[in-house]
Amino acid sequence: LFLVAQHVSLTTQQVAPQPVHHILLLDRSGSMAWTIDALVSHVTERLLSLPPGDYVSVGYFSGEGEYRFVLKGLCIANDEQDRATIPRLMDTLRSTLTLTCFSQILHETVVTLDELTALTPLVTLTLFTDGCPVVRDLRTEHTRIFAVLDALAPKLTSALLVGYGGYY
């Protein structure tokens, strides 16, 4: 074995930071009642800490047909009045609904990304949930989830799944 020392000169290039599109999906099923208030507070804090120029989309889901985006492609600004809107919108999510259906909000996420593809190529997805799907036809729901994940994966730069409680 030989040890060779070699001096390498490094030059650094300044790269302009690119904006990121943050997508956050919140589980509002009834089993999240014990933590929904804290979840909304934490997500709101996170949104307010994002750098100016980033984009944010926030959606919620519960039972079949109970899903939507409350924010889509909002550009985070330095303006205090604009930032004051975020907590007011997030406060509307501090209650729970019914069961848990993942496939519909995930499909809506694919549609949203297709609509907002020109914003930025950097997309992060964070999904907050406490459990498994609770729907009429579990086998069909599993099939739909895996199909939509296949469509969603190439559109994402990163994904984070945050689990709550003992059933996650």
Side-chain angles (χ1 to χ4, degrees):
L1 297 176
F2 296 95
L3 179 61
V4 177
Q6 183 177 13
H7 177 73
V8 177
S9 108
L10 297 175
T11 59
T12 58
Q13 272 186 329
Q14 195 70 355
V15 177
Q18 282 192 308
V20 176
H21 184 182
H22 305 267
I23 299 177
L24 299 105
L25 304 177
L26 286 67
D27 184 346
R28 289 183 63 199
S29 62
S31 59
M32 290 287 288
W34 65 278
T35 192
I36 192 71
D37 194 55
L39 170 59
V40 171
S41 293
H42 295 147
V43 169
T44 302
E45 287 175 33
R46 174 68 180 132
L47 295 178
L48 294 173
S49 74
L50 294 175
D54 276 10
Y55 300 92
V56 64
S57 296
V58 176
Y60 71 83
F61 62 97
S62 187
E64 294 175 82
E66 296 178 308
Y67 66 94
R68 79 181 187 106
F69 276 89
V70 294
L71 292 172
K72 270 190 178 182
L74 173 73
C75 184
I76 300 295
N78 276 331
D79 186 280
E80 289 302 317
Q81 188 173 358
D82 285 349
R83 284 187 178 256
T85 303
I86 293 172
R88 286 196 308 271
L89 284 170
M90 293 302 294
D91 281 346
T92 66
L93 304 178
R94 290 187 185 274
S95 62
T96 58
L97 300 170
T98 60
L99 304 174
T100 309
C101 177
F102 295 104
S103 63
Q104 294 172 332
I105 191 64
L106 291 172
H107 179 267
E108 188 65 20
T109 302
V110 172
V111 171
T112 297
L113 285 173
D114 287 343
E115 293 170 348
L116 303 177
T117 190
L119 293 179
T120 179
L122 302 177
V123 179
T124 67
L125 171 72
T126 307
L127 185 137
F128 303 89
T129 186
D130 71 340
C132 306
V134 180
V135 294
R136 287 175 285 190
D137 185 349
L138 191 56
R139 179 173 288 165
T140 300
E141 175 67 357
H142 284 161
T143 301
R144 288 179 181 158
I145 289 170
F146 287 113
V148 76
L149 288 177
D150 286 340
L152 185 58
K155 299 175 185 303
L156 301 177
T157 306
S158 68
L160 173 64
L161 306 178
V162 180
Y164 290 82
Y167 293 107
Y168 175 69

